[in-house]
Amino acid sequence: GQQLNQSPQSMFIQEGEDVSMNCTSSSIFNTWLWYKQDPGEGPVLLIALYKAGELTSNGRLTAQFGITRKDSFLNISASIPSDVGIYFCAGQISPGGSQGNLIFGKGTKLSVKP
Amino acid sequence: GAVVSQHPSWVICKSGTSVKIECRSLDFQATTMFWYRQFPKQSLMLMATSNEGSKATYEQGVEKDKFLINHASLTLSTLTVTSAHPEDSSFYICSARKVTEAFFGQGTRLTVV
């Protein structure tokens, strides 16, 4: 089946540093979604991307839908302690209907040192 | 965004009993909801797709008789873990589709003792 490769698996950074993580796939996706999950909570949607080449920002977060439609990256600028958590990418082949379920990457665990 | 509420947030039950988890979309209607299971430090594993008014579609390896899913209305899906055993202990998360995006509940921590 389809798989998403998300990297890095974990990151330990200093507060104020920028962060970059990415996902690649062997399949073409129509939608890329980026989520953040805090411990003991459900994932929260950060950014949704719908078109190849699309670059979208949400505050200090920026994500891009790769031109090949097989990859996406998420950047976090000037990290702060509350950025700590697990970030998941998710790809979707069919944007609508019951068959359009998400395929998740394995997550990037971000730790920020004050 | 959109709000998806999952209840309970945690439950402890005895081995052999059944547990029901509810997933509600509070401010939108969801014809499709999804149920995931997450082991510690791992990604989300899709268990089944819940379709309003029809039978759920289960992923390979998920026992449909053990994990009963009911999507009786456009705002409510339930997952019942029947005859729970300690190996069923896990974090269960639902999500609901709103157009092209999926929004997640808070998750339910199930502990079977």
PDB file of all heavy atoms in Angstrom, chain B residues 72-98:
ATOM      1  N   ALA B  72     -24.724   6.249  13.263  1.00  0.00           N
ATOM      2  CA  ALA B  72     -26.181   6.329  13.157  1.00  0.00           C
ATOM      3  C   ALA B  72     -26.684   7.684  12.680  1.00  0.00           C
ATOM      4  O   ALA B  72     -27.802   7.799  12.179  1.00  0.00           O
ATOM      5  CB  ALA B  72     -26.815   5.993  14.505  1.00  0.00           C
ATOM      6  N   SER B  73     -25.888   8.726  12.834  1.00  0.00           N
ATOM      7  CA  SER B  73     -26.327  10.055  12.400  1.00  0.00           C
ATOM      8  C   SER B  73     -25.152  10.788  11.783  1.00  0.00           C
ATOM      9  O   SER B  73     -24.018  10.311  11.833  1.00  0.00           O
ATOM     10  CB  SER B  73     -26.871  10.855  13.588  1.00  0.00           C
ATOM     11  OG  SER B  73     -25.805  11.362  14.377  1.00  0.00           O
ATOM     12  N   LEU B  74     -25.427  11.944  11.206  1.00  0.00           N
ATOM     13  CA  LEU B  74     -24.382  12.706  10.521  1.00  0.00           C
ATOM     14  C   LEU B  74     -23.420  13.387  11.495  1.00  0.00           C
ATOM     15  O   LEU B  74     -22.449  14.004  11.069  1.00  0.00           O
ATOM     16  CB  LEU B  74     -25.017  13.756   9.614  1.00  0.00           C
ATOM     17  CG  LEU B  74     -25.678  13.205   8.363  1.00  0.00           C
ATOM     18  CD1 LEU B  74     -26.455  14.289   7.646  1.00  0.00           C
ATOM     19  CD2 LEU B  74     -24.648  12.603   7.420  1.00  0.00           C
ATOM     20  N   THR B  75     -23.690  13.274  12.785  1.00  0.00           N
ATOM     21  CA  THR B  75     -22.805  13.920  13.755  1.00  0.00           C
ATOM     22  C   THR B  75     -22.280  12.968  14.825  1.00  0.00           C
ATOM     23  O   THR B  75     -21.581  13.390  15.738  1.00  0.00           O
ATOM     24  CB  THR B  75     -23.536  15.077  14.466  1.00  0.00           C
ATOM     25  OG1 THR B  75     -24.702  14.556  15.120  1.00  0.00           O
ATOM     26  CG2 THR B  75     -23.933  16.161  13.474  1.00  0.00           C
ATOM     27  N   LEU B  76     -22.581  11.688  14.693  1.00  0.00           N
ATOM     28  CA  LEU B  76     -22.169  10.769  15.752  1.00  0.00           C
ATOM     29  C   LEU B  76     -21.736   9.424  15.185  1.00  0.00           C
ATOM     30  O   LEU B  76     -22.453   8.782  14.423  1.00  0.00           O
ATOM     31  CB  LEU B  76     -23.312  10.543  16.743  1.00  0.00           C
ATOM     32  CG  LEU B  76     -23.082   9.481  17.830  1.00  0.00           C
ATOM     33  CD1 LEU B  76     -21.934   9.893  18.758  1.00  0.00           C
ATOM     34  CD2 LEU B  76     -24.359   9.251  18.628  1.00  0.00           C
ATOM     35  N   SER B  77     -20.542   9.008  15.602  1.00  0.00           N
ATOM     36  CA  SER B  77     -20.075   7.652  15.334  1.00  0.00           C
ATOM     37  C   SER B  77     -19.607   7.072  16.662  1.00  0.00           C
ATOM     38  O   SER B  77     -19.047   7.782  17.493  1.00  0.00           O
ATOM     39  CB  SER B  77     -18.925   7.655  14.330  1.00  0.00           C
ATOM     40  OG  SER B  77     -18.402   6.348  14.147  1.00  0.00           O
ATOM     41  N   THR B  78     -19.856   5.787  16.859  1.00  0.00           N
ATOM     42  CA  THR B  78     -19.410   5.147  18.096  1.00  0.00           C
ATOM     43  C   THR B  78     -18.549   3.940  17.772  1.00  0.00           C
ATOM     44  O   THR B  78     -18.761   3.246  16.774  1.00  0.00           O
ATOM     45  CB  THR B  78     -20.590   4.703  18.973  1.00  0.00           C
ATOM     46  OG1 THR B  78     -21.396   3.766  18.243  1.00  0.00           O
ATOM     47  CG2 THR B  78     -21.440   5.885  19.394  1.00  0.00           C
ATOM     48  N   LEU B  79     -17.567   3.727  18.626  1.00  0.00           N
ATOM     49  CA  LEU B  79     -16.704   2.545  18.555  1.00  0.00           C
ATOM     50  C   LEU B  79     -16.883   1.784  19.855  1.00  0.00           C
ATOM     51  O   LEU B  79     -16.686   2.346  20.935  1.00  0.00           O
ATOM     52  CB  LEU B  79     -15.244   2.963  18.398  1.00  0.00           C
ATOM     53  CG  LEU B  79     -14.187   1.853  18.590  1.00  0.00           C
ATOM     54  CD1 LEU B  79     -14.269   0.827  17.467  1.00  0.00           C
ATOM     55  CD2 LEU B  79     -12.785   2.455  18.647  1.00  0.00           C
ATOM     56  N   THR B  80     -17.282   0.527  19.752  1.00  0.00           N
ATOM     57  CA  THR B  80     -17.429  -0.312  20.933  1.00  0.00           C
ATOM     58  C   THR B  80     -16.378  -1.407  20.886  1.00  0.00           C
ATOM     59  O   THR B  80     -16.336  -2.188  19.934  1.00  0.00           O
ATOM     60  CB  THR B  80     -18.832  -0.938  21.010  1.00  0.00           C
ATOM     61  OG1 THR B  80     -19.817   0.096  21.033  1.00  0.00           O
ATOM     62  CG2 THR B  80     -18.969  -1.788  22.267  1.00  0.00           C
ATOM     63  N   VAL B  81     -15.545  -1.427  21.909  1.00  0.00           N
ATOM     64  CA  VAL B  81     -14.552  -2.484  22.053  1.00  0.00           C
ATOM     65  C   VAL B  81     -15.207  -3.585  22.883  1.00  0.00           C
ATOM     66  O   VAL B  81     -15.497  -3.390  24.066  1.00  0.00           O
ATOM     67  CB  VAL B  81     -13.277  -1.976  22.749  1.00  0.00           C
ATOM     68  CG1 VAL B  81     -12.227  -3.086  22.813  1.00  0.00           C
ATOM     69  CG2 VAL B  81     -12.719  -0.760  22.022  1.00  0.00           C
ATOM     70  N   THR B  82     -15.479  -4.703  22.251  1.00  0.00           N
ATOM     71  CA  THR B  82     -16.199  -5.774  22.938  1.00  0.00           C
ATOM     72  C   THR B  82     -15.227  -6.761  23.577  1.00  0.00           C
ATOM     73  O   THR B  82     -14.133  -6.995  23.052  1.00  0.00           O
ATOM     74  CB  THR B  82     -17.115  -6.527  21.966  1.00  0.00           C
ATOM     75  OG1 THR B  82     -16.300  -7.137  20.958  1.00  0.00           O
ATOM     76  CG2 THR B  82     -18.099  -5.583  21.310  1.00  0.00           C
ATOM     77  N   SER B  83     -15.644  -7.304  24.708  1.00  0.00           N
ATOM     78  CA  SER B  83     -14.820  -8.290  25.427  1.00  0.00           C
ATOM     79  C   SER B  83     -13.355  -7.843  25.457  1.00  0.00           C
ATOM     80  O   SER B  83     -12.460  -8.528  24.948  1.00  0.00           O
ATOM     81  CB  SER B  83     -14.949  -9.659  24.763  1.00  0.00           C
ATOM     82  OG  SER B  83     -14.303 -10.662  25.525  1.00  0.00           O
ATOM     83  N   ALA B  84     -13.161  -6.691  26.052  1.00  0.00           N
ATOM     84  CA  ALA B  84     -11.827  -6.078  26.028  1.00  0.00           C
ATOM     85  C   ALA B  84     -10.800  -6.919  26.787  1.00  0.00           C
ATOM     86  O   ALA B  84     -11.115  -7.552  27.803  1.00  0.00           O
ATOM     87  CB  ALA B  84     -11.904  -4.680  26.633  1.00  0.00           C
ATOM     88  N   HIS B  85      -9.590  -6.894  26.267  1.00  0.00           N
ATOM     89  CA  HIS B  85      -8.466  -7.579  26.909  1.00  0.00           C
ATOM     90  C   HIS B  85      -7.327  -6.586  27.080  1.00  0.00           C
ATOM     91  O   HIS B  85      -7.291  -5.534  26.411  1.00  0.00           O
ATOM     92  CB  HIS B  85      -8.021  -8.773  26.063  1.00  0.00           C
ATOM     93  CG  HIS B  85      -9.009  -9.882  26.049  1.00  0.00           C
ATOM     94  ND1 HIS B  85      -9.180 -10.743  27.112  1.00  0.00           N
ATOM     95  CD2 HIS B  85      -9.908 -10.269  25.113  1.00  0.00           C
ATOM     96  CE1 HIS B  85     -10.126 -11.615  26.833  1.00  0.00           C
ATOM     97  NE2 HIS B  85     -10.594 -11.349  25.629  1.00  0.00           N
ATOM     98  N   PRO B  86      -6.393  -6.886  27.956  1.00  0.00           N
ATOM     99  CA  PRO B  86      -5.297  -5.930  28.185  1.00  0.00           C
ATOM    100  C   PRO B  86      -4.574  -5.499  26.911  1.00  0.00           C
ATOM    101  O   PRO B  86      -4.134  -4.352  26.820  1.00  0.00           O
ATOM    102  CB  PRO B  86      -4.365  -6.713  29.126  1.00  0.00           C
ATOM    103  CG  PRO B  86      -5.281  -7.585  29.915  1.00  0.00           C
ATOM    104  CD  PRO B  86      -6.356  -8.000  28.926  1.00  0.00           C
ATOM    105  N   GLU B  87      -4.488  -6.370  25.928  1.00  0.00           N
ATOM    106  CA  GLU B  87      -3.800  -5.978  24.684  1.00  0.00           C
ATOM    107  C   GLU B  87      -4.585  -4.957  23.869  1.00  0.00           C
ATOM    108  O   GLU B  87      -4.064  -4.396  22.898  1.00  0.00           O
ATOM    109  CB  GLU B  87      -3.489  -7.210  23.818  1.00  0.00           C
ATOM    110  CG  GLU B  87      -4.702  -8.037  23.440  1.00  0.00           C
ATOM    111  CD  GLU B  87      -4.897  -9.206  24.386  1.00  0.00           C
ATOM    112  OE1 GLU B  87      -4.531  -9.095  25.572  1.00  0.00           O
ATOM    113  OE2 GLU B  87      -5.443 -10.235  23.912  1.00  0.00           O
ATOM    114  N   ASP B  88      -5.840  -4.729  24.254  1.00  0.00           N
ATOM    115  CA  ASP B  88      -6.639  -3.692  23.594  1.00  0.00           C
ATOM    116  C   ASP B  88      -6.352  -2.320  24.179  1.00  0.00           C
ATOM    117  O   ASP B  88      -6.829  -1.295  23.653  1.00  0.00           O
ATOM    118  CB  ASP B  88      -8.140  -3.984  23.727  1.00  0.00           C
ATOM    119  CG  ASP B  88      -8.536  -5.287  23.055  1.00  0.00           C
ATOM    120  OD1 ASP B  88      -7.936  -5.617  22.005  1.00  0.00           O
ATOM    121  OD2 ASP B  88      -9.423  -5.982  23.587  1.00  0.00           O
ATOM    122  N   SER B  89      -5.603  -2.278  25.259  1.00  0.00           N
ATOM    123  CA  SER B  89      -5.250  -0.994  25.870  1.00  0.00           C
ATOM    124  C   SER B  89      -4.478  -0.159  24.852  1.00  0.00           C
ATOM    125  O   SER B  89      -3.495  -0.624  24.266  1.00  0.00           O
ATOM    126  CB  SER B  89      -4.385  -1.210  27.114  1.00  0.00           C
ATOM    127  OG  SER B  89      -5.095  -1.954  28.096  1.00  0.00           O
ATOM    128  N   SER B  90      -4.936   1.053  24.653  1.00  0.00           N
ATOM    129  CA  SER B  90      -4.315   1.894  23.625  1.00  0.00           C
ATOM    130  C   SER B  90      -4.959   3.274  23.660  1.00  0.00           C
ATOM    131  O   SER B  90      -5.859   3.536  24.470  1.00  0.00           O
ATOM    132  CB  SER B  90      -4.510   1.260  22.243  1.00  0.00           C
ATOM    133  OG  SER B  90      -3.716   1.901  21.267  1.00  0.00           O
ATOM    134  N   PHE B  91      -4.507   4.137  22.776  1.00  0.00           N
ATOM    135  CA  PHE B  91      -5.095   5.460  22.576  1.00  0.00           C
ATOM    136  C   PHE B  91      -5.913   5.389  21.288  1.00  0.00           C
ATOM    137  O   PHE B  91      -5.370   5.087  20.228  1.00  0.00           O
ATOM    138  CB  PHE B  91      -3.969   6.494  22.476  1.00  0.00           C
ATOM    139  CG  PHE B  91      -4.413   7.922  22.588  1.00  0.00           C
ATOM    140  CD1 PHE B  91      -5.150   8.356  23.668  1.00  0.00           C
ATOM    141  CD2 PHE B  91      -4.061   8.850  21.621  1.00  0.00           C
ATOM    142  CE1 PHE B  91      -5.556   9.679  23.789  1.00  0.00           C
ATOM    143  CE2 PHE B  91      -4.453  10.178  21.729  1.00  0.00           C
ATOM    144  CZ  PHE B  91      -5.197  10.594  22.812  1.00  0.00           C
ATOM    145  N   TYR B  92      -7.210   5.625  21.406  1.00  0.00           N
ATOM    146  CA  TYR B  92      -8.102   5.550  20.249  1.00  0.00           C
ATOM    147  C   TYR B  92      -8.529   6.969  19.870  1.00  0.00           C
ATOM    148  O   TYR B  92      -8.939   7.752  20.730  1.00  0.00           O
ATOM    149  CB  TYR B  92      -9.335   4.701  20.560  1.00  0.00           C
ATOM    150  CG  TYR B  92      -8.999   3.234  20.770  1.00  0.00           C
ATOM    151  CD1 TYR B  92      -8.615   2.760  22.030  1.00  0.00           C
ATOM    152  CD2 TYR B  92      -9.040   2.340  19.706  1.00  0.00           C
ATOM    153  CE1 TYR B  92      -8.291   1.425  22.211  1.00  0.00           C
ATOM    154  CE2 TYR B  92      -8.716   1.002  19.892  1.00  0.00           C
ATOM    155  CZ  TYR B  92      -8.340   0.561  21.145  1.00  0.00           C
ATOM    156  OH  TYR B  92      -8.013  -0.766  21.324  1.00  0.00           O
ATOM    157  N   ILE B  93      -8.423   7.283  18.585  1.00  0.00           N
ATOM    158  CA  ILE B  93      -8.732   8.644  18.126  1.00  0.00           C
ATOM    159  C   ILE B  93      -9.687   8.560  16.940  1.00  0.00           C
ATOM    160  O   ILE B  93      -9.512   7.717  16.058  1.00  0.00           O
ATOM    161  CB  ILE B  93      -7.463   9.396  17.673  1.00  0.00           C
ATOM    162  CG1 ILE B  93      -6.365   9.324  18.732  1.00  0.00           C
ATOM    163  CG2 ILE B  93      -7.777  10.857  17.369  1.00  0.00           C
ATOM    164  CD1 ILE B  93      -5.050   9.927  18.277  1.00  0.00           C
ATOM    165  N   CYS B  94     -10.673   9.438  16.939  1.00  0.00           N
ATOM    166  CA  CYS B  94     -11.568   9.508  15.787  1.00  0.00           C
ATOM    167  C   CYS B  94     -11.274  10.785  15.013  1.00  0.00           C
ATOM    168  O   CYS B  94     -10.701  11.741  15.550  1.00  0.00           O
ATOM    169  CB  CYS B  94     -13.035   9.482  16.220  1.00  0.00           C
ATOM    170  SG  CYS B  94     -13.575  10.994  17.038  1.00  0.00           S
ATOM    171  N   SER B  95     -11.653  10.780  13.770  1.00  0.00           N
ATOM    172  CA  SER B  95     -11.612  12.013  12.996  1.00  0.00           C
ATOM    173  C   SER B  95     -12.860  12.078  12.124  1.00  0.00           C
ATOM    174  O   SER B  95     -13.459  11.053  11.795  1.00  0.00           O
ATOM    175  CB  SER B  95     -10.351  12.110  12.141  1.00  0.00           C
ATOM    176  OG  SER B  95     -10.438  11.260  11.014  1.00  0.00           O
ATOM    177  N   ALA B  96     -13.230  13.280  11.773  1.00  0.00           N
ATOM    178  CA  ALA B  96     -14.401  13.496  10.929  1.00  0.00           C
ATOM    179  C   ALA B  96     -13.994  14.351   9.746  1.00  0.00           C
ATOM    180  O   ALA B  96     -13.240  15.309   9.884  1.00  0.00           O
ATOM    181  CB  ALA B  96     -15.508  14.178  11.731  1.00  0.00           C
ATOM    182  N   ARG B  97     -14.504  13.964   8.589  1.00  0.00           N
ATOM    183  CA  ARG B  97     -14.172  14.701   7.374  1.00  0.00           C
ATOM    184  C   ARG B  97     -15.116  15.892   7.200  1.00  0.00           C
ATOM    185  O   ARG B  97     -16.324  15.761   7.286  1.00  0.00           O
ATOM    186  CB  ARG B  97     -14.280  13.805   6.156  1.00  0.00           C
ATOM    187  CG  ARG B  97     -14.065  14.550   4.846  1.00  0.00           C
ATOM    188  CD  ARG B  97     -14.317  13.640   3.660  1.00  0.00           C
ATOM    189  NE  ARG B  97     -13.484  12.451   3.701  1.00  0.00           N
ATOM    190  CZ  ARG B  97     -12.189  12.441   3.440  1.00  0.00           C
ATOM    191  NH1 ARG B  97     -11.568  13.558   3.157  1.00  0.00           N
ATOM    192  NH2 ARG B  97     -11.511  11.322   3.491  1.00  0.00           N
ATOM    193  N   LYS B  98     -14.519  17.049   6.937  1.00  0.00           N
ATOM    194  CA  LYS B  98     -15.282  18.233   6.548  1.00  0.00           C
ATOM    195  C   LYS B  98     -14.737  18.693   5.215  1.00  0.00           C
ATOM    196  O   LYS B  98     -13.642  19.259   5.150  1.00  0.00           O
ATOM    197  CB  LYS B  98     -15.159  19.337   7.600  1.00  0.00           C
ATOM    198  CG  LYS B  98     -15.986  20.577   7.274  1.00  0.00           C
ATOM    199  CD  LYS B  98     -15.824  21.646   8.346  1.00  0.00           C
ATOM    200  CE  LYS B  98     -16.678  22.875   8.010  1.00  0.00           C
ATOM    201  NZ  LYS B  98     -16.479  23.956   9.006  1.00  0.00           N
TER     202      LYS B  98
END
